[in-house]
Amino acid sequence: MKNYQKIITKIYNDLKNIDDTGKIANYIPELANVDDTNFGIHITTIDRNFFGIGDSKKKFSIQSISKILTLTLAYQLEGEKLWKRVDVEPSGNPFNSLLQLESDLGIPRNPFINAGAIVVCDVLISHLKNPKEDFLNFCRILSKNPDLNYSEKVAQSEKSSGYRNIALCNFIKSFGNIKNDIDVVLDFYFYTCALEMTCKEVSEIFLFLADDNFTNQEGNRVLTMSQAKRINAILLTCGFYDESGEFAFRVGLPGKSGVGGGIVAIHPDEFCITVWSPKLNKKGNSYKGMLFLEQFTTETESSIF
Ligand code: DON
């Protein structure tokens, strides 16, 4: 492997004890119980070399990072028709905003804001017999990892405090872009956000977006090359909400954040790297995570640009 190990170790040590101006997410009460000093990094290359440091083997709530997984399964099942239900434009607004839905007539700007992921969950419910079990099984087969699970606690915590998402789902339903019962859609959405993984597991599950020859546990391709290109393109333009431009500017890789403090970044044909540090900046993205990835792509000269 390139000198990733040396560079990751150096940046990890440089950032470990800096003054972190971020704040842990507390609008989902259960997330506030996590130790906010956790800091882990794991990289997996497409030739399956890997390196981890810090808290890279502790499970955390992947939250919106799961939006890539729900999108991937919905794209597999629905094909190009999916883009009639959800657009592919950056929103330039916070992840839980209701603002544009009114003028956009209930079509969310992209699948990585909450509104878009809720519509994607609705699409999945129309296809799957047992959505929660089937989706979890899809993730396990994709990552060849039977050890993946939802956190019941996080799912219930979000359910009891998910006023914004409940409003979003109802609002979209009023335009006819939610086909199933809103309680069923929201329950499924909350569970997908409550998936738990380690940095190592996250950097392994997204190899299908980096490795052109990737096959899942059953020996099947997950997406066509063109579909993988499209998901990477939406990640680059929309993966960090109203901070997507900033992430592309500073890091230069497609990626996705979650309010659990995780960020995954993908270098097509090279690697997947995951950073976890729970304190978030004002836009809801991990403060240290962004800093780490900025220094990483700068020092390794390994962005897509
Ligand atoms: O629906 C929510 O608000 C959370 N379950 C997920 C939001 C999230 O992770 C946004 N990411 N930065």
Side-chain angles (χ1 to χ4, degrees):
M1 183 158 66
K2 224 175 174 176
N3 50 0
Y4 294 139
Q5 179 163 340
K6 191 169 154 224
I7 293 171
I8 288 172
T9 306
K10 178 185 170 292
I11 305 171
Y12 172 82
N13 287 324
D14 286 351
L15 295 184
K16 197 172 162 19
N17 298 314
I18 57 157
D19 181 26
D20 188 334
T21 60
K23 297 222 166 13
I24 198 160
N26 59 8
Y27 75 100
I28 301 170
E30 194 58 34
L31 292 184
N33 293 331
V34 174
D35 176 355
D36 65 13
T37 62
N38 279 298
F39 186 32
I41 296 114
H42 189 96
I43 186 169
T44 309
T45 67
I46 62 158
D47 41 19
R48 306 310 188 261
N49 285 310
F50 59 88
F51 174 68
I53 193 164
D55 300 303
S56 64
K57 290 189 184 142
K58 279 195 200 167
K59 297 260 188 192
F60 64 93
S61 189
I62 71 165
Q63 291 294 318
S64 285
I65 296 176
S66 67
K67 291 176 168 70
I68 316 176
L69 298 165
T70 47
L71 173 66
T72 299
L73 182 55
Y75 200 9
Q76 256 188 17
L77 295 169
E78 188 85 4
E80 301 307 317
K81 286 203 310 282
L82 181 63
W83 311 119
K84 293 202 169 106
R85 304 278 307 275
V86 59
D87 209 342
V88 295
E89 292 299 333
S91 70
N93 269 313
F95 61 87
N96 56 6
S97 174
L98 285 115
L99 218 60
Q100 291 157 331
L101 282 170
E102 175 124 50
S103 50
D104 293 345
L105 305 177
I107 307 292
R109 285 280 165 115
N110 68 69
F112 295 141
I113 49 174
N114 288 9
I118 289 170
V119 167
V120 167
C121 282
D122 182 59
V123 169
L124 286 176
I125 289 166
S126 299
H127 280 277
L128 303 174
K129 248 197 201 129
N130 302 300
K132 285 190 257 184
E133 291 91 304
D134 295 350
F135 174 66
L136 187 57
N137 207 31
F138 164 78
C139 294
R140 289 174 175 170
I141 292 171
L142 176 63
S143 57
K144 309 176 175 84
N145 181 355
D147 224 28
L148 302 183
N149 274 301
Y150 304 117
S151 160
E152 276 299 322
K153 268 193 181 167
V154 172
Q156 294 309 327
S157 178
E158 188 160 358
K159 220 172 174 174
S160 64
S161 58
Y163 306 110
R164 273 269 169 168
N165 289 320
I166 296 165
L168 281 167
C169 194
N170 277 285
F171 198 39
I172 301 169
K173 178 107 181 159
S174 77
F175 290 100
N177 196 22
I178 293 285
K179 311 294 178 194
N180 296 283
D181 188 280
I182 54 157
D183 292 333
V184 176
V185 176
L186 284 162
D187 178 68
F188 180 45
Y189 170 76
F190 291 141
Y191 271 83
T192 62
C193 293
L195 262 178
E196 288 193 315
M197 293 188 203
T198 66
C199 291
K200 182 172 192 293
E201 289 169 336
V202 172
S203 72
E204 287 168 354
I205 201 169
F206 291 111
L207 280 174
F208 72 95
L209 291 172
D211 179 0
D212 291 345
N213 299 313
F214 182 91
T215 52
N216 69 11
Q217 189 177 305
E218 294 169 341
N220 297 321
R221 278 195 77 89
V222 180
L223 297 171
T224 65
M225 297 273 279
S226 156
Q227 288 176 322
K229 170 196 75 182
R230 289 182 168 178
I231 292 188
N232 274 318
I234 311 170
L235 285 170
L236 185 73
T237 50
C238 311
F240 297 81
Y241 321 107
D242 44 341
E243 203 167 38
S244 298
E246 180 84 11
F247 190 83
F249 180 76
R250 283 170 49 185
V251 178
L253 292 176
K256 183 80 204 78
S257 62
V259 289
I263 299 182
V264 62
I266 294 143
H267 193 318
D269 301 324
E270 298 277 341
F271 59 75
C272 269
I273 185 165
T274 307
V275 184
W276 173 45
S277 168
K279 287 185 171 184
L280 311 177
N281 67 18
K282 290 206 169 73
K283 303 282 171 88
N285 300 315
S286 170
Y287 173 81
K288 240 189 221 178
M290 281 191 61
L291 213 53
F292 179 90
L293 289 167
E294 178 179 12
Q295 295 191 13
F296 175 75
T297 55
T298 305
E299 293 196 23
T300 54
E301 300 181 338
S302 58
S303 88
I304 60 169
F305 298 108

